[in-house]
Amino acid sequence: MNESLMPATKRELRREILRARRETYVAEVARESSARIRAQLEEHIDPWISARGRCLVIAGYSPVPAEASALAWLRRKAREGHTVILPTFEGELLGWRAWDGEESLVPSDGAKFGSEPTGTSFGTAGLADADLIITPAVAVDRSGTRLGHGKGYYDRALAYARPETRVLTLIHETELLDAGALPREEHDVPIPEVLTEAGLERLSTPV
């Protein structure tokens, strides 16, 4: 959706949440947040991965400043032999490239994108190969509505995900809002699970 056509309330919500994020998650607070998120991933997601009995394809992301981060956990998954793929800027779509947990990530050409890997390309349909998808967000409400940065990248990318693929969104606990707090548009893909510093929460999403 073109930013100029977006409902004013959605723009205002995004602006306010991002302002609060920048003011809150700095320095030691950001480091503590990352450590708590990693502990929650280890508690809630590692057993699920182990139960699969094989190496998985895990889609994550490289966070922008103050964004909830799973990068250290993703690094460990790559070192354990799982295939970790991270998004790359490909114009109107996300591309996906492998990250081995060792290579340095490079600056992205996309606005509001984190750094990118330079490994093997999985193309713009890369999420079709993923067993687990971890998405970023500005906020999510408990009815499963995800507020992104307004460009629709993940709504388009998630269309490639297989029905059996596990999808969860990673945000700070202050960014998980009451059900119905976010306006939902027709193109918005509902999110079934959220993980924050406080734990994993399954959401009430429409059938």
Side-chain angles (χ1 to χ4, degrees):
M1 185 178 202
N2 188 293
E3 183 77 19
S4 64
L5 300 178
M6 188 182 303
T9 53
K10 204 168 184 181
R11 289 201 304 272
E12 290 162 2
L13 279 166
R14 180 180 296 111
R15 187 181 302 115
E16 178 60 23
I17 293 167
L18 289 175
R19 180 197 61 76
R21 176 190 285 179
R22 288 191 299 270
E23 292 177 356
T24 303
Y25 294 96
V26 295
E28 186 60 32
V29 176
R31 288 190 290 272
E32 180 184 346
S33 167
S34 294
R36 291 174 63 197
I37 285 171
R38 179 172 178 173
Q40 295 294 347
L41 287 163
E42 290 169 352
E43 178 180 350
H44 295 286
I45 306 303
D46 280 4
W48 179 84
I49 290 175
S50 296
R52 309 278 77 74
R54 60 182 175 85
C55 287
L56 304 184
V57 177
I58 302 172
Y61 63 93
S62 173
V64 296
E67 193 167 47
S69 175
L71 204 60
W73 181 83
L74 289 167
R75 179 180 288 109
R76 183 162 62 82
K77 294 297 110 182
R79 290 171 176 171
E80 290 173 357
H82 300 284
T83 299
V84 172
I85 60 175
L86 304 179
T88 60
F89 176 66
E90 303 291 342
E92 293 298 311
L93 298 172
L94 294 179
W96 298 89
R97 286 185 177 272
W99 182 52
D100 63 6
E102 304 292 340
E103 70 157 311
S104 297
L105 300 173
V106 300
S108 173
D109 291 331
K112 300 177 183 176
F113 275 64
S115 300
E116 300 180 351
T118 57
T120 301
S121 174
F122 281 65
T124 55
L127 292 190
D129 295 306
D131 301 291
L132 170 65
I133 300 170
I134 301 175
T135 82
V138 172
V140 178
D141 73 19
R142 286 187 166 90
S143 54
T145 301
R146 174 185 173 275
L147 179 66
H149 284 282
K151 301 298 182 183
Y153 282 108
Y154 272 91
D155 293 312
R156 291 189 290 274
L158 287 169
Y160 292 103
R162 305 190 311 273
E164 67 272 20
T165 295
R166 188 171 187 177
V167 179
L168 66 89
T169 293
L170 193 67
I171 51 174
H172 296 297
E173 56 191 310
T174 56
E175 296 159 1
L176 179 56
L177 309 178
D178 292 340
L182 296 174
R184 177 175 290 171
E185 298 174 67
E186 186 176 348
H187 68 273
D188 290 333
V189 176
I191 296 299
E193 295 182 282
V194 161
L195 189 137
T196 74
E197 298 94 337
L200 180 71
E201 185 164 338
R202 290 177 175 83
L203 306 178
S204 175
T205 57
V207 177

